[in-house]
């Protein structure tokens, strides 16, 4: 769990769209998804909480997903003119943030409104959101040459949308668990949000609501569901499904706006009617669900060399944006035009994957502990 261009001409996204397509932003900010991502799963136990045994499979899921997020963000400044890269970008954006959101929901199943859980929600989600929303806004203002960039906790910018979305989703968890049919209700809410252009920008509610079904799905999943999707038969069937997705994305690359994958604006803002927009939203959601299952099917369940990095994906998610944005602000992609060549895109992909890997390492996590896992016992009452 927060974008992109091509040589093929297409109508720019309207200004109401939260994230314009990268072609419009060449030399400017490269917005996410996110996710991206961003998104990512915020799984940051308190420094004072007892150590829990971690599941290698889910740490592998989080690490591989954050690599996809970082690589896709790095493609945005260099994929103009490459139909293949745009196709891969579309496939990645179809499922990497939904995968993060599903896992976030899965790990939110035990959330209730007890004091310890609320404290952890504040220290592990709300505080990082406030800090990074402020820092990213200042970064854009001074490094990105945008002196009018406001600092607004109500208007998430770039990667921080995922944190405020996770806060909203998690704090409503008791409600979803009390409903008899939570998933259909969440789906209806998402569809209604997609055809409601007047929702506004506060808290990036379009994304919060349109990604909601994936979070609620995660709340309903059990360990046996993940074991089921990792069966050999499912893996074999997933190969032609992935091949079909790649072919479809290649066909759609010059024809389809990327805003459909960001879920940050209404269907009207994408130039569609509410009726055709609803069908498109359902189609993209269905593709996201299928490709998320394909992704889950192929993630290794045994400990790997990168498994330990799954505990630090929140660091990789929140920090890699500074590298991508910094390179754009510094004019790196304009100065070195060869980065937009096929070989250059491979280099960009490799650098992005290595960079986010380093940002997920334990030393980085320890260095950021005061921000992502702050000790705030002073702020809460003692029982």
């Amino acid at each position: 769990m927060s974008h992109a261009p091509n040589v093929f001409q297409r109508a720019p996204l309207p200004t109401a769209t939260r994230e314009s397509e990268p072609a419009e932003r060449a030399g400017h900010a490269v917005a996410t998804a996110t996710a991206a991502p961003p998104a990512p799963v915020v799984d940051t136990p308190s420094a004072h909480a007892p150590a829990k045994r971690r599941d290698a499979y889910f740490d592998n899921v989080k690490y591989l997903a954050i690599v996809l997020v970082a690589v896709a963000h790095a493609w945005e400044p260099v994929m103009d003119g490459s139909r293949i890269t745009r196709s891969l970008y579309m496939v990645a954006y179809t499922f990497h943030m939904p995968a993060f959101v599903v896992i976030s929901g899965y790990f939110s199943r035990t959330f209730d409104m007890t004091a310890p859980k609320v404290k952890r929600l504040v220290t592990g989600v709300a505080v990082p959101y406030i800090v990074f929303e402020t820092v990213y806004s200042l970064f854009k203002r001074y490094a990105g040459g945008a002196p009018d960039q406001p600092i607004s906790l109500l208007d998430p910018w770039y990667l921080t949308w995922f944190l405020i979305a996770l806060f909203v989703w998690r704090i409503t968890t008791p409600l979803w668990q009390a409903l008899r049919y939570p998933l259909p209700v969440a789906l209806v809410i998402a569809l209604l949000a997609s055809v409601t252009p007047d929702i506004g920008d506060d808290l990036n509610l379009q994304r919060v609501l349109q990604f909601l079904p994936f979070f609620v799905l995660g709340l309903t999943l059990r360990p046996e569901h993940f074991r089921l999707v990792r069966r050999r038969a499912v893996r074999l069937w997933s190969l032609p499904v992935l091949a079909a997705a790649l072919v479809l994305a290649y066909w759609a690359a010059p024809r389809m706006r990327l805003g459909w994958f960001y879920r940050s604006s209404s269907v009207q803002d994408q130039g569609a009617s509410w009726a055709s927009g609803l069908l498109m939203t359902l189609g993209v959601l269905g593709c996201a669900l299928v490709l998320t299952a394909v992704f889950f099917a192929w993630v290794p369940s045994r400990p790997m060399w990168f498994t330990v990095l799954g505990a630090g994906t929140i660091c990789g998610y929140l920090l890699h944006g500074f590298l991508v944005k910094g390179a754009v602000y510094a004019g790196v992609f304009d100065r070195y035009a060869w980065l937009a060549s096929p070989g250059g895109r491979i280099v960009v992909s490799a650098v992005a994957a290595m960079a986010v890997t380093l940002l997920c390492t334990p030393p980085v996590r320890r260095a950021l502990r005061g921000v992502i896992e702050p000790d705030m016992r002073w702020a809460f009452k003692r029982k």
Side-chain angles (χ1 to χ4, degrees), residues 3-69:
H3 290 346
N6 203 318
V7 69
F8 307 96
Q9 290 296 322
R10 59 197 181 282
L13 295 181
T15 55
T17 301
R18 292 278 305 159
E19 292 186 30
S20 58
E21 299 196 35
E24 296 176 345
R25 295 175 300 172
H28 297 288
V30 180
T32 14
T34 68
V41 180
V42 177
D43 183 18
T44 55
S46 167
H48 304 283
K52 296 181 180 179
R53 182 179 178 182
R54 301 186 66 90
D55 189 313
Y57 173 74
F58 292 109
D59 278 337
N60 292 341
V61 166
K62 290 186 285 184
Y63 168 74
L64 294 174
I66 198 61
V67 169
L68 286 173
V69 170

Side-chain angles (χ1 to χ4, degrees), residues 26-336:
H28 297 288
V30 180
T32 14
T34 68
V41 180
V42 177
D43 183 18
T44 55
S46 167
H48 304 283
K52 296 181 180 179
R53 182 179 178 182
R54 301 186 66 90
D55 189 313
Y57 173 74
F58 292 109
D59 278 337
N60 292 341
V61 166
K62 290 186 285 184
Y63 168 74
L64 294 174
I66 198 61
V67 169
L68 286 173
V69 170
V71 171
H73 285 165
W75 282 341
E76 291 169 355
V78 299
M79 63 192 222
D80 191 11
S82 173
R83 185 171 179 174
I84 291 177
T85 307
R86 182 179 172 90
S87 303
L88 294 174
Y89 179 92
M90 292 170 67
V91 171
Y93 257 88
T94 299
F95 74 89
H96 66 38
M97 282 312 301
F100 264 128
V101 178
V102 168
I103 296 300
S104 296
Y106 180 76
F107 282 105
S108 298
R109 293 171 300 154
T110 60
F111 181 84
D112 52 36
M113 295 302 289
T114 57
K117 299 292 179 61
V118 172
K119 291 176 183 177
R120 182 173 174 182
L121 182 62
V122 170
T123 58
V125 180
V127 170
Y129 169 70
I130 293 171
V131 171
F132 279 91
E133 173 64 21
T134 301
V135 173
Y136 264 112
S137 297
L138 293 174
F139 185 63
K140 182 179 181 181
R141 180 184 296 181
Y142 296 109
D148 296 329
Q149 173 66 27
I151 298 175
S152 173
L153 299 183
L154 294 179
D155 189 12
W157 183 74
Y158 196 36
L159 302 175
T160 59
W161 74 268
F162 181 79
L163 292 176
I164 196 62
L166 181 60
F167 185 90
V168 173
W169 295 329
R170 188 165 286 174
I171 208 168
T172 60
T173 292
L175 170 63
W176 298 112
Q177 292 179 326
L179 293 177
R180 186 182 297 272
Y181 305 109
L183 196 53
V185 172
L187 179 59
V188 169
I189 290 175
L191 292 176
L192 290 176
S194 72
V195 295
T196 309
D198 297 330
I199 284 181
D201 293 338
D202 288 352
L203 301 183
N204 210 333
L205 279 179
Q206 276 288 358
R207 267 184 165 162
V208 173
L209 298 178
Q210 290 193 46
F211 275 106
L212 177 63
F214 297 105
F215 182 81
V216 176
L217 173 62
L219 290 175
T220 65
L221 294 178
R222 297 294 178 265
E224 55 267 26
H225 296 127
F226 290 96
R227 289 194 294 269
L228 179 64
V229 83
R230 300 203 304 273
R231 294 172 57 187
R232 177 179 174 82
V234 176
R235 289 183 175 179
L236 292 178
W237 275 107
S238 70
L239 294 177
V241 170
L242 179 59
L246 291 170
V247 171
L248 178 61
Y250 186 80
W251 173 85
R255 300 174 172 86
M256 187 174 178
R257 287 180 170 179
L258 298 175
W260 292 107
F261 302 100
Y262 305 152
R263 297 179 173 86
S264 56
S265 58
S266 68
V267 301
Q268 292 89 337
D269 293 330
Q270 300 301 320
S273 67
W274 70 269
S276 61
L278 279 178
L279 292 177
M280 189 68 175
T281 300
L282 276 173
V284 173
L285 191 150
C287 291
L289 187 60
V290 171
L291 289 182
T292 296
V294 170
F295 174 64
F296 286 158
W298 281 97
V299 172
S301 57
R302 65 184 185 279
M304 308 290 288
W305 65 266
F306 53 77
T307 300
V308 67
L309 303 178
T313 51
I314 185 61
C315 299
Y317 177 75
L318 291 173
L319 294 179
H320 85 272
F322 291 109
L323 301 181
V324 176
K325 291 287 190 181
V328 173
Y329 294 156
V332 171
F333 301 105
D334 296 327
R335 189 177 305 115
Y336 302 102

